[in-house]
Amino acid sequence: MGRRVFGGAMWAFGQTVVSKVASIGAQLVLAALLAKDDFGRLAEVLLIVTLASFGQQLGIGEILVRRHRRFAVWADSAFWIVLAAGVLGGAVVAGIGPVADGIFKNVQGLRGLLLVASLGMPFEAMTIVPQAKLRIDLRFKALAFLGSFNIIGTAILSVAFAGSAYVWPGTLIGGAMAFLLPLPIMALLIIPILIGYQH
């Protein structure tokens, strides 16, 4: 057990280093590619998404890890609870879209950003139960890989989308959208990988 915990700590440390390097590198590039207004719009969207992220705030993953001996009994119910919470949270975020420009008077163009952000919330919720199973099984290498894959993939896609504004001026995937569009894409890519780890 001690050896597995030590190995897990090393994988977590490696993931942290790789993730930080990728994130900082992407942020530096994005700071050069995007305008200050884009970061302002992103901050407003993330505020709304954070408040509506019911699935991540329920603590279902932590409960499953704590009750690991009965995971098989709780897993199906937990999955449907977090999925329902993710759908509800996404609906709230999407529903705020039509009135967001009026609420945040100095920040325009939030409707499309909120819609894209809302799309990823159910998919992100679907990863909670499988990731809890990986933690229960002490699959630290798999967790480190998934974390690094998510952050590096998000960074690459964000830079690519932000850079697209220079190749195709006026494209809808540039600006603040470059931060948000990778989130549902990466969630969709991670779900089948998680399913593969379960078999």
Side-chain angles (χ1 to χ4, degrees), residues 20 25 28 45 50 72 76 83 126 137 155 185 189:
K20 293 297 182 185
L28 291 173
V45 170
T50 300
D76 286 343
L83 180 58
M126 291 172 66
D137 293 341
I185 294 173
L189 291 175

Side-chain angles (χ1 to χ4, degrees), residues 73-104:
V73 175
W74 291 76
D76 286 343
S77 298
F79 174 81
W80 291 111
I81 290 170
V82 294
L83 180 58
V87 170
L88 178 60
V92 169
V93 171
I96 291 173
V99 297
D101 290 340
I103 296 172
F104 301 97

Side-chain angles (χ1 to χ4, degrees), residues 28-109:
L28 291 173
V29 175
L30 290 168
L33 291 174
L34 301 177
K36 291 181 181 179
D37 289 347
D38 295 323
F39 289 92
R41 281 189 286 272
L42 175 68
E44 302 295 351
V45 170
L46 292 181
L47 171 65
I48 295 169
V49 170
T50 300
L51 294 174
S53 296
F54 305 118
Q56 284 75 17
Q57 296 172 8
L58 290 174
I60 297 295
E62 290 74 15
I63 292 171
L64 289 173
V65 173
R66 183 68 184 263
R67 307 283 184 177
H68 61 275
R69 289 186 178 87
R70 295 179 61 82
F71 177 85
V73 175
W74 291 76
D76 286 343
S77 298
F79 174 81
W80 291 111
I81 290 170
V82 294
L83 180 58
V87 170
L88 178 60
V92 169
V93 171
I96 291 173
V99 297
D101 290 340
I103 296 172
F104 301 97
K105 297 185 183 301
N106 296 323
V107 184
Q108 300 300 314

Side-chain angles (χ1 to χ4, degrees), residues 10-11 26 42 59 69 97 105 127 154 160 175 180:
M10 291 298 99
W11 279 110
L42 175 68
R69 289 186 178 87
K105 297 185 183 301
T127 67
T154 300
L180 298 171

